[in-house]
Amino acid sequence: MTSDGPAADGVEPGMVRPGGRTARVREAVLRAAGDALVEHGFDGLDLADVARRAEVGKTTVYRRWSAPAGLVADLLSDMAEQSLPRAETGSLAEDLRANARLVVRTLTDPRQGALFAAVIAAATCDPRTADALHRFYAVRIGEWSGCVEEAVGRGEVPVGTDPGEVIAAVSAPLYYRLLASGAPLDEAAADRAADAAVAAARAGVFVR
């Protein structure tokens, strides 16, 4: 499967936020694309098949998204927009445990977990999918970074602690379990990942 470059005007295909009927079409197409990714992976993602699943015209899908990579980029953008807001418990340890448990719930969900695995696999061989995945995680890390910034203000972790590095340290071992080790992804694993990130942050590991 090949990927076309960005549209001539420099806007990533499918990335314009529509309204009305166009929004409903986009929603149907993105759900169909997610279903196809779960079933067949990125290599099996075909725009004509997505159009059939979404019950929309092939011309509409090709015009808006132009290539599978553009469709995946928009799917990830939509997933970032719909993600749950961060926790605000007043404790860094509890905030990060909430973050880790959310990651585990997502990765163990029959649909979402398979979808993330397919997208991550695609990102290893398709630059545009990789860029879209990087943007997705930048949004999520940015959303949760406020937990660390507030912890710095409360004196829980040293001044200069890099919020993004702390949040990434929470999810990294969980993705390792999903993609590499096959070890259980459960609440205990989530709490260990969060507690390890908190301990490292308090020790100054993430100070810039």
Side-chain angles (χ1 to χ4, degrees):
M1 179 168 49
T2 59
S3 298
D4 297 332
D9 59 4
V11 177
E12 191 78 11
M15 297 301 284
V16 176
R17 295 291 166 262
R21 179 181 180 281
T22 304
R24 293 192 294 274
V25 168
R26 176 176 179 257
E27 181 181 359
V29 169
L30 294 185
R31 170 154 286 278
D35 291 342
L37 274 172
V38 169
E39 292 176 25
H40 303 301
F42 184 71
D43 287 342
L45 185 62
D46 178 76
L47 296 190
D49 176 55
V50 170
R52 179 188 60 78
R53 290 169 181 260
E55 300 182 343
V56 302
K58 289 190 293 184
T59 302
T60 298
V61 175
Y62 279 98
R63 183 176 64 247
R64 281 185 50 79
W65 288 277
S66 82
L71 190 52
V72 172
D74 200 16
L75 178 62
L76 284 166
S77 177
D78 183 68
M79 290 166 64
E81 292 169 2
Q82 296 187 34
S83 294
L84 294 174
R86 68 177 176 89
E88 295 186 59
T89 68
S91 160
L92 181 62
E94 290 305 314
D95 286 348
L96 295 189
R97 283 190 172 202
N99 174 267
R101 292 176 183 182
L102 176 60
V103 171
V104 165
R105 286 198 302 273
T106 299
L107 296 183
T108 56
D109 179 84
R111 175 183 167 83
Q112 292 280 42
L115 183 56
F116 272 105
V119 171
I120 291 169
T124 64
C125 59
D126 184 84
R128 285 175 63 193
T129 303
D131 287 343
L133 188 63
H134 298 161
R135 289 194 298 271
F136 171 85
Y137 283 111
V139 169
R140 296 308 295 149
I141 287 175
E143 168 72 20
W144 283 84
S145 289
C147 297
V148 183
E149 293 165 358
E150 292 167 4
V152 171
R154 293 192 296 264
E156 289 188 68
V157 294
V159 173
T161 296
D162 187 323
E165 290 293 329
V166 176
I167 301 303
V170 174
S171 59
L174 303 175
Y175 278 92
Y176 178 82
R177 285 171 176 256
L178 173 73
L179 299 170
S181 75
L185 269 172
D186 51 23
E187 192 169 281
D191 290 350
R192 282 195 299 273
D195 293 348
V198 171
R202 288 173 176 164
V205 170
F206 302 114
V207 173
R208 297 185 187 92

